[in-house]
Every structure is written in C-alpha cells, then in structure tokens.
C-alpha cells in the first residue's frame, strides 16, 4: 500500500475518550462535521488496505453531521453519544445503505427493514459512517470471507492475520481509529473474538437486553448484538446511554472484594503459550489486589459441540426456508456452507431437545454465580493466525476453527461477558506481542456488573494499547 504522500490525521480518540469528545462538541471547540471528516480522511487512506468497511456513506454522513451541529447550536441535547461517528456491522439494516450480510446471495429481505438498535442509535445522535465487513451470514469465528474479502488485523503490517469474526470489520475499524465505536453481533462469540484478537473491548450482552429486529436472524435463540469499543470506559458509556441508564452516583467495584471462578478445562485446552502466560499472570495480579480466585471446571461447556450446530444450523435454514437454502447453500463460502448444512441432518426432536437443554444449562450455570461474582477465562485460545495458513486445507485451518471454543459456552449458558486486553501480562516483551483477551463472564442480566469489573481492571492496569497505524503508510 503506497500512502507515502498522504498525511494520516490523528485518531480523534488517541488521547481522549467519547465523553471528552462530547464535551468538545458541546463547547464548540470541535464540530461534528470536523470530527466526521477526520474519520473519513483516515478511512480513505487506510480502508483500501484494512478492508474494514464494505460500504461508506460519506456524503449523507456529512449532511447528518451538519444537522447535528445545528442541534448543538440550538441547545438540543440527545445524550452523551450525540455527534459520535460509528460503524454498523453489515448484517444490520440501515436505511439508505445496502445490506449484503457478507454474501453474494441476495438476502436483505431476510434481514428486514431498519430495526430498533439502529433507530435507537440514530435517536441518540450517532453519525453512521458506513457498514463493516462480516463473515458470510455471521456464521464464522475467524473473520475469513472468501467472496467479500477478509479485513486485515491492524497489529501486523507484514502478515495478513485473521481479524476474528464474525464482526470482523467492526473490530478492525475501532482498533484502527476508523470509528469511535462499532456495533457487532454475538451468536457464538462474534463480538468478543474480533475484539480480543484486535486488542480492544467487546461486550456480549444478555439475550434480549438489545433488540435483534433488523438484524440477520442467524439464530434467534442465541443472537445478541453488542458494542465494540476502544476501552471499557467508552463501553460503559455506550451501554448505559443506549439503555437510558445514566447513574452518576454508582460506585465502582473494588477488586479486593471480588470472588472469581478461574475456569480450567475446557477453557484452558489448546492455549497458545502467550495466551496461557497472560491468563495466569492476570489472575495472579488480581489475587495480589485482594481478589479471591478459585479454579473451577464446568464440563457442561463441552456441550457446545452438540448444541451449537443443532440450534444454529436449524435456525439459519429456517431463516432462508428449506427450498431457498438448498438452492443457494453451494454458493456460500465453503466454511459457512458446511456449517449451515449441519442443520439439514437435525431432526425436530433433536432441535427441541437442544433448546430445552439450553434452558437447563442456564439454570445450572446460575449456581456458580451464587458463589462467584464472575468467571474468568481466556477469550480466545490463540492469538491472530496468518490468514493464508487458516484457509481450508492449510496447516492451521483446524486450529482456526477453535476461535470460538471459549466463547460459545457463554451463549449456550444464556449469560453475558466482556473481553479486556491482557497482552501486557506476557513477560517477554522483546518480540512483537499480538493481542490476548481476558473473558469476564457474569450471570444473566448482569451486564452492568461485567462492565464494572472490567472497568476496575482498566483503572488498575490501564487502557488498552492500540496499534500504530502510521506503520501502514
């Protein structure tokens, strides 16, 4: 990529956060048009290489920003996210923008019209920059997309590494400073995996905390949208603002008063050495801060291997309709198509039994949260792999399929989780360290608690380090 004659504007959030940017917008020291234009300048330089966005909305977004500035000038207040430029995953409908669902197959009618989530963000005054790349139909954890392209993980300018999926473009956009935050969706880890592999923060919300209408229905049983952001502070602001919950009197959680269940097998099976080291070291540091940590094993997590394909395979086929699915499945990306085809062999009895088992597991896992404030695990078992080695038939393809090994159980347990970057806990920093994520898991509808625990870690250990994008010029 030859950008030697182009000057990359500073990332607006490089030394700031969303709340501080909002203060500048309200004070008039920064306009929404200026802010939005800065993001587009960065996008126009970096996106041809990073491939984070599949569709850009520059003319309309600048027009929208002009309208936001007029509202500011007239004293209209829409909340803390007013005037903030964001990105939306391309399985979510946005009026005036195409929805491809990461596929060559026409399927926007299945996704339906713009839904509650996007409408809510617009009502809060967010400026939508465009749509971000996704794994086809959001069914994949590596981020690879044979037909629409695979975004580039910004932590390595020399090797094209997997961005994680399925919210691949959303995570790359945020980590690269091409959006203040982005929306992803998480059916088996699709917010947490790319956030982890790109060194940022991703929140998997509890089912039904955020509406899913206007989003491709990969699995109505498991689908959960959520924010991908630069740090936990921003994540809290986004989540609370969306939920109309701005409580300035809330007290922060003290790590010394926390009790954590440190998950072992299967969450520690097949870990990269640096992932294991970071996990062990962060847990040791939490103990030094006074937290109580006990190792636990939840063997039911292994049931993901049966439950996930039965539920998701059946429900994606139902979304298409059997005739339409069988007509188009061989046109899908081979990985997506093969995973979706598993639903063809699922009987109605097996599907209903799987759904019933998910309800049973939700009740079972609730018992652990009577003893522990949260459960901890590595978010992904590996760091970002070389894309060329993760392709079908290549040496790391089977390993790449383990990307969702530690995240899928959270979905089938019906609970919530947040990922926080911990690669700084790898002791040998003489070599380039790729991101590693810590998964903080809380009980159903304890999303705020998960965010507060992660925020407490962020206050102790610092905000995530971000990749140097000037190396791509």
């Amino acid at each position: 990529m030859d950008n030697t004659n182009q000057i990359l504007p500073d990332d607006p959030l490089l030394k700031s956060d969303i709340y501080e940017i909002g203060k500048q917008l309200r004070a008039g020291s920064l306009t929404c048009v200026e802010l939005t234009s800065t993001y587009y300048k960065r996008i126009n330089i970096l996106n041809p290489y990073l491939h984070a966005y599949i569709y850009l909305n520059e003319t309309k977004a600048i027009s929208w920003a002009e309208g936001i500035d007029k509202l500011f000038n007239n004293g209209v207040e829409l909340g803390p996210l007013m005037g903030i430029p964001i990105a939306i995953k391309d399985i979510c409908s946005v009026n005036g923008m195409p929805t491809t669902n990461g596929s060559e197959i026409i399927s926007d009618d299945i996704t339906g019209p713009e839904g509650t989530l996007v409408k809510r963000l617009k009502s809060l005054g967010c400026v939508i920059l465009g749509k971000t790349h996704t794994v086809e139909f959001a069914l994949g954890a590596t981020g690879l997309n044979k037909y629409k392209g695979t975004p580039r993980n910004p932590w390595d300018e020399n090797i094209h590494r997997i961005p994680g999926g399925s919210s691949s473009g959303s995570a790359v956009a945020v980590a690269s400073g091409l959006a203040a935050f982005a929306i992803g969706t998480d059916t088996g880890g699709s917010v947490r995996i790319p956030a982890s592999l790109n060194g940022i923060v991703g929140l998997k919300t509890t089912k039904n905390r955020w509406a899913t209408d206007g989003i491709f229905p990969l699995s109505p049983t498991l689908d959960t949208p959520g924010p991908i952001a630069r740090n936990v502070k921003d994540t809290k602001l986004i989540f609370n603002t969306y939920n109309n919950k701005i409580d300035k009197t809330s007290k922060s959680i003290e790590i010394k008063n926390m009790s954590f269940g440190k998950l072992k097998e299967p969450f520690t099976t097949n870990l990269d050495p640096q992932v294991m080291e970071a996990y062990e070291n962060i847990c040791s540091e939490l103990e030094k801060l006074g937290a109580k940590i006990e190792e636990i094993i939840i063997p039911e997590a292994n049931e993901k291997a049966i439950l996930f394909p039965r539920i998701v395979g059946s429900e994606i086929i139902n979304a298409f309709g059997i005739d339409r699915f069988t007509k188009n499945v061989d046109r899908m990306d081979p990985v997506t198509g093969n995973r979706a085809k598993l639903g063809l062999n699922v009987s109605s009895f097996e599907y209903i039994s799987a759904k019933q088992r998910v309800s049973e597991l939700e009740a079972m896992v609730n018992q652990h949260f009577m003893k522990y404030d949260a459960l901890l695990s590595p978010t992904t078992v590996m760091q970002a792999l070389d894309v060329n080695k993760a392709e079908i038939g290549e040496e790391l393809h089977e390993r790449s399929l383990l990307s969702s090994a530690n995240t899928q159980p959270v979905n089938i347990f019906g609970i919530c989780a947040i990922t926080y970057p911990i690669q700084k806990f790898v002791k040998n920093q003489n070599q380039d360290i790729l991101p590693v994520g810590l998964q903080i898991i809380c009980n159903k509808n304890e999303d705020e608690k998960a965010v507060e625990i992660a925020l407490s870690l962020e206050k102790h250990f610092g905000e995530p380090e971000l990749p140097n994008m000037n190396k791509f010029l």
Side-chain angles (χ1 to χ4, degrees), residues 108-151:
D108 56 343
D109 60 306
I110 299 175
T111 305
E114 183 177 283
T116 302
L117 187 153
V118 171
K119 289 182 186 300
R120 173 65 175 155
L121 292 170
K122 285 182 175 180
S123 74
L124 292 170
C126 294
V127 177
I128 299 176
L129 298 168
K131 306 283 285 293
T132 52
H133 276 276
T134 175
V135 174
E136 190 175 30
F137 303 119
L139 186 55
T142 62
L144 273 64
N145 188 317
K146 180 178 179 180
Y147 299 118
K148 293 293 185 178
T150 300

Side-chain angles (χ1 to χ4, degrees), residues 12 70 98 173 191 207 217 262 268 284 304 309 330 415 446 467:
K70 290 179 181 178
V191 162
K207 179 68 180 173
K262 180 185 177 185
T268 53
S284 295
K304 66 182 185 294
D330 291 334
I415 50 182
E446 289 189 343

Side-chain angles (χ1 to χ4, degrees), residues 125-335:
C126 294
V127 177
I128 299 176
L129 298 168
K131 306 283 285 293
T132 52
H133 276 276
T134 175
V135 174
E136 190 175 30
F137 303 119
L139 186 55
T142 62
L144 273 64
N145 188 317
K146 180 178 179 180
Y147 299 118
K148 293 293 185 178
T150 300
R152 187 183 187 108
N153 191 307
W155 283 87
D156 194 331
E157 72 274 26
N158 298 314
I159 299 173
H160 186 173
R161 295 186 180 275
I162 64 172
S166 62
S167 307
S168 51
S170 288
V172 171
V174 173
S176 307
L178 306 186
F181 72 90
I183 294 300
T185 61
D186 194 311
T187 304
S190 292
V191 162
R192 290 159 289 158
I193 295 164
S196 175
L197 294 180
N198 284 275
I200 49 179
V201 176
L203 174 64
K204 181 255 182 262
T205 57
T206 302
K207 179 68 180 173
N208 295 325
R209 287 300 299 268
W210 283 16
T212 56
D213 59 302
I215 300 175
F216 182 81
L218 171 60
S219 173
T221 299
L222 303 175
D223 292 344
T224 53
I228 297 174
R230 301 288 289 274
N231 53 48
V232 185
K233 185 192 301 182
D234 284 349
T235 303
K236 178 180 178 178
L237 182 68
I238 297 160
F239 185 70
N240 285 354
T241 302
Y242 183 94
N243 294 327
N244 198 27
K245 181 182 179 183
I246 306 299
D247 183 3
K248 297 181 180 180
T249 63
S250 63
K251 294 182 178 180
S252 60
I253 288 178
E254 294 289 338
I255 293 296
K256 64 181 180 181
N257 298 323
M258 293 277 99
S259 176
F260 296 115
K262 180 185 177 185
L263 292 169
K264 299 296 286 182
E265 299 82 5
F267 294 89
T268 53
T269 304
N270 296 314
L271 294 185
D272 278 0
Q274 289 186 339
V275 174
M276 174 64 85
E277 182 180 358
Y279 180 49
E280 292 296 334
N281 287 343
I282 182 67
C283 288
S284 295
E285 290 298 319
L286 291 174
E287 284 187 307
K288 291 177 184 178
L289 291 172
K292 181 181 179 181
I293 295 183
E294 294 180 353
E295 294 185 348
I296 65 169
I297 296 175
I298 304 180
E300 290 86 356
N302 287 309
E303 295 186 37
K304 66 182 185 294
I306 295 175
L307 297 177
F308 198 82
R310 286 184 177 179
I311 292 173
V312 176
S314 299
E315 292 184 343
I316 188 174
I317 292 172
N318 182 66
F320 275 93
I322 185 64
D323 292 340
R324 186 175 178 181
F325 177 80
T326 53
K327 181 180 179 180
N328 286 288
V329 66
D330 291 334
R331 296 172 57 205
M332 294 181 186
D333 181 289
V335 175

Side-chain angles (χ1 to χ4, degrees), residues 28-96:
S29 58
L30 175 69
T31 69
C32 186
V33 169
E34 291 170 341
L35 180 62
T36 302
S37 297
T38 296
Y39 276 111
Y40 275 117
K41 288 175 183 176
R42 291 178 61 83
I43 290 167
N44 290 333
I45 292 172
L46 292 173
N47 193 63
Y49 190 58
L50 296 174
H51 214 54
Y53 285 90
I54 191 171
Y55 178 82
L56 292 167
N57 193 42
E58 187 166 358
T59 301
K60 290 183 179 179
I62 295 297
S63 177
W64 184 272
E66 290 172 347
I68 293 293
D69 282 330
K70 290 179 181 178
L71 293 178
F72 275 127
N73 293 335
N74 286 294
V76 176
E77 180 56 64
L78 300 179
L81 301 183
M82 184 176 178
I84 302 300
I86 68 170
I88 304 289
K89 182 179 181 179
D90 187 34
I91 66 163
C92 306
S93 289
V94 179
N95 286 343

